[in-house]
Amino acid sequence: MTKTIAWGITGAGHFLTSSFGIFGQMKSEYDIRVNTFLSSAAEEVVRMYGLEQELEKISCGEYLEEVFLETQQGKSWPKTGRFLLDKYDALVVTPATSNTVSKIAHGTADSLVSNAVAQAVKGGVPVYVVPVDIAGVVISELPYGIAREKCQKCDPCPPRDNCPNGAITDQIDLLKCSGCGICKDLCKFNAIKGGPVELKVRDIDARNVEIIRELEGIIILEKPEDIPSIMAEI
């Protein structure tokens, strides 16, 4: 029997690529439909990381496989009403930023994804959340940027002149960047980078995760790779 999973994406780079990988894997291994809900920040970050085409493969646009963008939903979030109509078998929020985790922990539902969580709990739909900031230190992946100490300020500049989105000046405008990586390949001085950075988790963010662990109807998952295990439960 086909299962329908709602996927909430928020504006974190950490766990973003691996979340896409897991949902792509699940689409190939299970009989599931994936209906995706993107926060306004997620719309930008998915584009920065060059994942828009991957999203189209996971949520093709058919009924219950749509992609809902927060910027197109209005303030009443009408599509989250589906969680009250027995449409979904589960809601998975990954990656979940510390901001979204805080909203969930304290009952705030003023964004598309946090409202989806609220409606899912009200409708008896199990919610699984993968926070990016659980405890300790995390290693996060950054989008493309220019290392000033390596940039030779070439003119002509192949990365700048060949950027399909005109995103490069002396830096990369991440709101224009689509994460295609053309610039990185064209810079012979290796001045364009994107990669891992070590981040300390704030105490308040770790506490909010612990609050969610105690909430009815919501389960914390430690990493995206834990998501396939829920298929036996829904």
Side-chain angles (χ1 to χ4, degrees):
M1 180 178 176
T2 302
K3 301 288 186 180
T4 302
I5 297 177
W7 178 18
I9 307 176
T10 67
H14 186 48
F15 285 157
L16 183 64
T17 302
S18 55
S19 296
F20 270 78
I22 290 298
F23 268 90
Q25 172 190 330
M26 289 171 59
K27 284 282 287 188
S28 66
E29 295 181 358
Y30 299 99
D31 183 14
I32 62 171
R33 296 177 294 195
V34 180
N35 194 170
T36 306
F37 295 74
L38 274 78
S39 73
S40 55
E43 294 179 41
E44 297 176 0
V45 175
V46 166
R47 184 174 64 251
M48 290 176 198
Y49 282 76
L51 294 168
E52 289 177 307
Q53 291 186 349
E54 293 303 312
L55 183 56
E56 291 176 2
K57 297 176 184 177
I58 295 169
S59 292
C60 65
E62 299 293 332
Y63 178 59
L64 292 178
E65 294 187 280
E66 304 102 326
V67 175
F68 295 137
L69 307 178
E70 180 166 344
T71 55
Q72 298 177 359
Q73 290 303 301
K75 293 300 184 181
S76 61
W77 326 116
K79 294 301 183 183
T80 64
R82 286 183 175 182
F83 290 99
L84 305 175
L85 301 174
D86 198 27
K87 300 291 185 182
Y88 300 109
D89 295 286
L91 166 61
V92 180
V93 181
T94 181
T97 62
S98 57
N99 184 47
T100 296
V101 167
S102 177
K103 290 176 185 287
I104 296 171
H106 299 282
T108 302
D110 64 352
S111 65
L112 179 62
V113 175
S114 63
N115 193 271
V117 172
Q119 298 305 318
V121 173
K122 291 178 180 180
V125 177
V127 178
Y128 300 86
V129 178
V130 183
V132 296
D133 297 321
I134 293 183
V137 173
V138 297
I139 305 298
S140 184
E141 195 78 13
L142 291 181
Y144 291 111
I146 297 175
R148 291 178 183 268
E149 68 276 9
K150 290 191 175 184
C151 178
Q152 302 299 305
K153 302 187 185 304
C154 303
D155 194 11
C157 169
R160 178 195 65 207
D161 298 342
N162 289 278
C163 175
N165 300 306
I168 302 176
T169 53
D170 61 329
Q171 279 295 302
I172 296 176
D173 184 342
L174 293 179
L175 295 181
K176 295 181 179 179
C177 177
S178 63
C180 65
I182 290 174
C183 57
K184 186 176 188 297
D185 295 336
L186 289 176
C187 181
K188 64 180 181 181
F189 297 103
N190 196 32
I192 297 179
K193 297 183 176 295
V197 62
E198 187 176 282
L199 303 174
K200 182 181 183 300
V201 176
R202 300 184 305 170
D203 290 345
I204 191 170
D205 296 329
R207 288 200 299 270
N208 284 333
V209 171
E210 294 309 309
I211 290 173
I212 290 180
R213 289 188 194 275
E214 303 300 320
L215 297 180
E216 183 180 358
I218 304 177
I219 297 171
I220 292 289
L221 300 178
E222 303 292 319
K223 57 188 182 300
E225 288 75 15
D226 294 336
I227 297 171
S229 65
I230 74 173
M231 293 305 298
E233 303 172 4
I234 65 175

